[in-house]
Amino acid sequence: MRARWLLKVMIISSCLLGASLTLVAQENAQIGVFGGGSWFYGSNFRSSYPEPNTLQPYKFIPGGVFGVRVREMLTDHFGLEQSVTIFGNNNMKFGPEYAGTRTNQFYFNANWYGYERDSRVRPYVSVGAGVNMFRPTDEARSSLSNTIGNYLVESDQFAGNFGGGVIGKITDRVALDLSVRAFLQKTPTFSFPNPSEASWLWNPQVQLGLMFMLGNIAPPVVHTFNVGPNIEASKA
């Protein structure tokens, strides 16, 4: 199970890096890390455990995420973004029982930016889609082996997301990135028997990142104003 997850992360990370390197030479790429809080709302579904048509309401405990992000600026106000959540921790609670759970995400977004590229502060909005991976731990499956442990297998869900944020430059090459994002996907049903009526699951996140600007930094624009001959003559 762990080897399968590592393989997924390696493949996704390689694709992410390859996409960004094509624009590094054009001095339009950014790379950085991010972390923050993660919450889930609305998780429930029905299954035939322990009897037919049993409602399985459960909840995710608030946790955190940490990941890597790459951006490519295609124009002054539009760019692409790829993000990989390397580590996420949102444990689950099935009634009185707790199950350790790790979450990973990969999402591909389009970003629209306000102000000019050389501005010290730039707001932006972001929308995209990707995959959320829910991975119950081996310890959770072992400790709950007499009840739901055998059903707690990895579950991948397609997810859309939207949000916005603000980028503030610390130097010409380093910037802070504060954003709020919301992910929407179907509730994971793992391998519970005969799952049905899975609800929509909201996952808001508040993220703080550190971004590094790659390539050469363009010199500041210098404006030259020429005085007309009539003004010069009036001064004489």
Side-chain angles (χ1 to χ4, degrees), residues 51-106:
E51 57 188 32
N53 201 34
T54 298
L55 182 65
Q56 303 285 354
Y58 69 99
K59 66 179 182 179
F60 287 90
I61 308 303
V65 295
F66 175 81
V68 178
R69 174 167 293 144
V70 173
R71 288 178 174 147
E72 304 89 24
M73 297 298 300
L74 303 184
T75 71
D76 284 344
H77 298 282
F78 176 76
L80 301 178
E81 173 186 288
Q82 303 86 44
S83 303
V84 176
T85 300
I86 299 173
F87 175 81
N89 185 24
N90 284 94
N91 294 331
M92 297 182 294
K93 186 174 186 293
F94 284 86
E97 300 177 321
Y98 287 87
T101 310
R102 305 296 176 258
T103 58
N104 302 97
Q105 297 173 304
F106 169 72

Side-chain angles (χ1 to χ4, degrees), residues 1-70:
M1 184 74 69
R2 186 168 298 174
R4 178 185 172 190
W5 166 73
L6 287 174
L7 179 61
K8 287 182 180 179
V9 171
M10 289 175 63
I11 293 173
I12 291 172
S13 300
S14 298
C15 294
L16 185 154
L17 182 60
S20 64
L21 288 178
T22 60
L23 289 177
V24 169
Q26 301 176 23
E27 303 163 13
N28 291 328
Q30 304 172 11
I31 189 169
V33 295
F34 66 90
S38 174
W39 299 261
F40 285 91
Y41 300 98
S43 50
N44 64 77
F45 62 95
R46 293 183 181 274
S47 77
S48 58
Y49 171 85
E51 57 188 32
N53 201 34
T54 298
L55 182 65
Q56 303 285 354
Y58 69 99
K59 66 179 182 179
F60 287 90
I61 308 303
V65 295
F66 175 81
V68 178
R69 174 167 293 144
V70 173

